[in-house]
Amino acid sequence: EDQVTQSPEALRLQEGESSSLNCSYTVSGLRGLFWYRQDPGKGPEFLFTLYSAGEEKEKERLKATLTKKESFLHITAPKPEDSATYLCAVQEYQAGTALIFGKGTTLSVSS
Amino acid sequence: GAGVSQSPRYKVAKRGQDVALRCDPISGHVSLFWYQQALGQGPEFLTYFQNEAQLDKSGLPSDRFFAERPEGSVSTLKIQRTQQEDSAVYLCASSSLGGQTEAFFGQGTRLTVV
C-alpha cells in the first residue's frame, strides 16, 4: 500500500485557471511534508516544508496547506512556466531521514 | 560550485558491468542523500551521509549497491554487476542541516543497462 498518493496524475489547465493538487498520506508519525517541483531532465527543486496540521505556506502563485491526512498545493492564476511535475514527500519520525515520495502530478498550463 | 553536480549525466552499461556515479555537493553541506528515480515514479531513498558517516543505508536495494563519502564532501555510488532493473536516474541531494529541509538536488545521472 502506497504511503503517499498524489492526485490527479496529470492536470491540464488554461493560463489563469486556478486549481489544486492533492497529496494524501498514511504514516504513523509525520515529521514533515515536503513539496518539490521537477522539470524534465532536472532534479527536484524544493518548494515548501509543512510540519503541522493547519500550517500554510505561500510562494508566488503557489500555496501549500496541510491537514492530518492530506496536503494541497493550490495554484492561483497559473502561467505556462508553472508547467512541471509536482512531487509530494513525507518524512516519518520512525523512518529516520528518508523521504517517501509520491509519484507526482504532471501539470501542463497552456496559454 | 553553485549547486550539486553529478557526473556523468548519462551512463550506458552492459549487464554485469560495474559503474561508479559521482556527486559533488554544495560546498560546506553536511548532509548528502542518494535517491533512485525510475521513469514516471517519484524518487526512492537509497542512503544518507552526515559528513563522512553513512548514517542510513536502509534503502540500498541489494549488496551490489555501495556508497561512500570518505572525506565528507564528494560521494560515489557504486553498483556492481549491473542488471536491467538498475536502469533509472540516480539523484544526489545535499543540505546544510542535519535533516532534509531545503535539500538541493543535482540533475541526476541517467543509467541505462543494456
Side-chain angles (χ1 to χ4, degrees):
Chain A
E1 180 183 339
D2 288 347
Q3 292 178 280
V4 181
T5 303
Q6 292 189 245
S7 62
E9 289 186 12
L11 181 63
R12 291 182 178 275
L13 299 174
Q14 291 289 317
E15 185 172 4
E17 180 186 1
S18 301
S19 188
S20 296
L21 313 182
N22 177 264
C23 171
S24 62
Y25 60 92
T26 54
V27 297
S28 51
L30 180 71
R31 189 175 189 179
L33 185 139
F34 300 74
W35 282 99
Y36 284 87
R37 168 190 172 132
Q38 188 171 28
D39 292 295
K42 301 281 183 69
E45 176 188 345
F46 171 80
L47 294 174
F48 305 108
T49 308
L50 302 167
Y51 294 102
S52 56
E55 190 175 359
E56 299 182 352
K57 288 193 177 173
E58 288 188 66
K59 180 180 179 180
E60 297 180 351
R61 296 177 292 282
L62 300 177
K63 178 181 177 181
T65 62
L66 180 65
T67 73
K68 288 187 177 180
K69 293 184 178 180
E70 59 191 348
S71 176
F72 292 93
L73 185 64
H74 307 277
I75 303 176
T76 303
K79 299 181 177 182
E81 53 262 41
D82 294 323
S83 298
T85 295
Y86 290 85
L87 294 165
C88 169
V90 298
Q91 188 177 37
E92 295 183 277
Y93 278 107
Q94 300 88 326
T97 53
L99 284 184
I100 305 166
F101 280 87
K103 294 181 180 180
T105 293
T106 299
L107 173 66
S108 299
V109 182
S110 55
S111 56
Chain B
V4 178
S5 178
Q6 292 187 245
S7 60
R9 285 293 318 277
Y10 305 93
K11 176 70 178 177
V12 178
K14 291 185 178 180
R15 192 166 28 169
Q17 185 179 354
D18 296 350
V19 298
L21 313 180
R22 178 188 170 103
C23 172
D24 276 277
I26 293 173
S27 179
H29 275 194
V30 168
S31 299
L32 185 145
F33 312 86
W34 283 99
Y35 284 84
Q36 179 191 60
Q37 187 172 24
L39 192 64
Q41 303 294 313
E44 290 194 8
F45 173 81
L46 294 176
T47 188
Y48 162 59
F49 290 86
Q50 187 165 317
N51 296 306
E52 69 278 3
Q54 189 174 20
L55 299 185
D56 187 350
K57 53 182 180 179
S58 61
L60 296 176
S62 76
D63 58 8
R64 296 186 296 104
F65 286 71
F66 172 74
E68 60 183 6
R69 192 185 186 197
E71 296 179 358
S73 56
V74 170
S75 177
T76 304
L77 177 67
K78 298 179 179 178
I79 308 173
Q80 298 177 324
R81 305 182 303 281
T82 52
Q83 301 177 6
Q84 280 194 312
E85 59 262 34
D86 299 334
S87 296
V89 174
Y90 290 85
L91 293 164
C92 175
S94 72
S95 169
S96 60
L97 304 173
Q100 298 233 20
T101 300
E102 297 192 52
F104 294 88
F105 280 81
Q107 297 204 61
T109 294
R110 180 177 296 280
L111 172 65
T112 304
V113 181
V114 298

